Amino acid sequence: MDIAALNSTKILRKHVLKWMCLFFGLLSFIFAVFNLSKNHFYIVAGLEVCFSALCFYIFIQLVKNKQRNWYAITVCMTVTLVILCGTFLAPLKNGLFLWAFSLPILYYLLLGRKYGIVLSATLLVMQSSVLLYKLPSPYFSSFNLALNLLFIYIIIWVISHVFEGNRAEFSKRLKNLALLDPLTGAGNRLSMSHYFEVEIKDKSQLYLFLIDLDHFKQINDEYGHDVGDKVLVELATLFRITFAKGYVFRVEGEEFF
């Protein structure tokens, strides 16, 4: 089994970021040309040109498998800035503010729940301030419109939050099932092979302890397998405490690394 297949979150976010960069790059460039030639919104068009260039740059780097941690957060922050500035500078009839409803989904897909909830809340406050400033009269018509926009945004936000939370939990469970010994919670042979072959770069200061329990079969024969299982669980816990800065792997029935 290829352990890289278990890193589904990283692979998913890379693919989402890559194709979203291509989509946003093309779309932003088209809007920039339209805003320059028809609407004469030079500031908005300038932001869209910069955003388009950034998206194309990140897309090319991802095609070359050159991924950096700052790509996702930069795209999210930049598209947020473009939408907020466009909403403030352009007339509401252009509908640019509607793009804000897609951003919570993008935040959670690319950055996870921690950043997703912070950025979604920040966008809600800032976009609400801009819209309330620009909404037309009469008062009740504006209030009803603002209320509907608010509820739509919150629904999308909640769905994104719940979905990402469940996806992350199921991904964690799948990884634990594949990499952990179900009885003791120690790493299994697959995780040990990956750790020594991939994660450990400098093996010059590496120390290994192979622990084999003598006469363990006698415990199972005399007291039963339930007691034997409890012994293995207690030993694995003891090893994790003793080797707190290291890793514990169960490679056979009573053999630990």
Side-chain angles (χ1 to χ4, degrees):
M1 179 180 180
D2 184 8
I3 198 172
L6 297 174
N7 295 325
S8 57
T9 299
K10 185 177 181 180
I11 296 172
L12 170 66
R13 287 175 178 167
K14 178 183 176 182
H15 284 299
V16 170
L17 178 62
K18 181 171 70 173
W19 296 111
M20 287 305 297
C21 281
L22 179 61
F23 171 76
F24 277 140
L26 291 172
L27 196 64
S28 185
F29 181 77
I30 293 172
F31 276 125
V33 172
F34 184 78
N35 284 326
L36 280 173
S37 59
K38 298 294 184 180
N39 295 329
H40 305 293
F41 298 146
Y42 300 112
I43 297 178
V44 176
L47 289 173
E48 289 170 341
V49 168
C50 294
F51 180 58
S52 178
L54 173 68
C55 288
F56 284 133
Y57 170 78
I58 294 177
F59 174 77
I60 293 173
Q61 296 303 309
L62 292 175
V63 169
K64 296 178 180 179
N65 289 321
K66 296 180 180 179
Q67 189 171 6
R68 299 292 183 270
N69 293 330
W70 58 268
Y71 286 170
I73 187 67
T74 302
V75 169
C76 289
M77 297 296 289
T78 309
V79 69
T80 302
L81 177 64
V82 171
I83 291 175
L84 286 173
C85 291
T87 302
F88 181 78
L89 296 173
L92 290 180
K93 64 180 181 180
N94 288 13
L96 184 59
F97 67 92
L98 294 174
W99 283 94
F101 295 115
S102 67
L103 292 187
I105 301 174
L106 189 66
Y107 295 153
Y108 281 93
L109 277 176
L110 294 181
L111 302 173
R113 285 202 299 177
K114 181 180 178 181
Y115 286 99
I117 192 170
V118 173
L119 291 178
S120 297
T122 302
L123 175 64
L124 176 61
V125 173
M126 298 181 69
Q127 186 76 328
S128 298
S129 300
V130 174
L131 288 176
L132 289 174
Y133 174 77
K134 298 192 67 174
L135 279 175
S137 56
Y139 169 77
F140 288 104
S141 175
S142 301
F143 178 77
N144 290 335
L145 176 60
L147 204 60
N148 280 283
L149 293 176
L150 175 63
F151 286 157
I152 292 172
Y153 182 89
I154 290 177
I155 288 173
I156 295 174
W157 180 6
V158 170
I159 293 174
S160 301
H161 187 82
V162 173
F163 177 83
E164 174 59 21
N166 282 275
R167 187 209 59 78
E169 180 64 25
F170 286 130
S171 178
K172 182 180 179 181
R173 290 182 182 179
L174 177 62
K175 195 169 184 178
N176 288 340
L177 286 173
L179 299 179
L180 297 182
D181 174 52
L183 175 63
T184 63
N188 59 18
R189 186 181 291 273
L190 175 63
S191 62
M192 184 184 70
S193 299
H194 177 76
Y195 177 72
F196 288 120
E197 295 175 7
V198 179
E199 292 189 21
I200 295 294
K201 305 299 182 182
D202 182 13
K203 298 180 174 62
S204 60
Q205 301 296 324
L206 184 63
Y207 296 91
L208 300 178
F209 295 91
L210 176 59
I211 302 172
D212 186 10
L213 304 181
D214 294 333
H215 311 298
F216 182 73
K217 186 176 182 300
Q218 295 180 6
I219 298 177
N220 286 329
D221 293 340
E222 185 173 351
Y223 300 102
H225 289 279
D226 289 341
V227 174
D229 289 346
K230 291 180 180 180
V231 171
L232 291 175
V233 172
E234 291 297 326
L235 283 172
T237 303
L238 177 62
F239 294 152
R240 282 195 291 267
I241 295 174
T242 304
F243 307 110
K245 295 183 179 180
Y247 291 87
V248 178
F249 304 97
R250 184 189 178 198
V251 294
E252 295 292 345
E254 68 274 8
E255 292 182 3
F256 292 86
F257 245 107

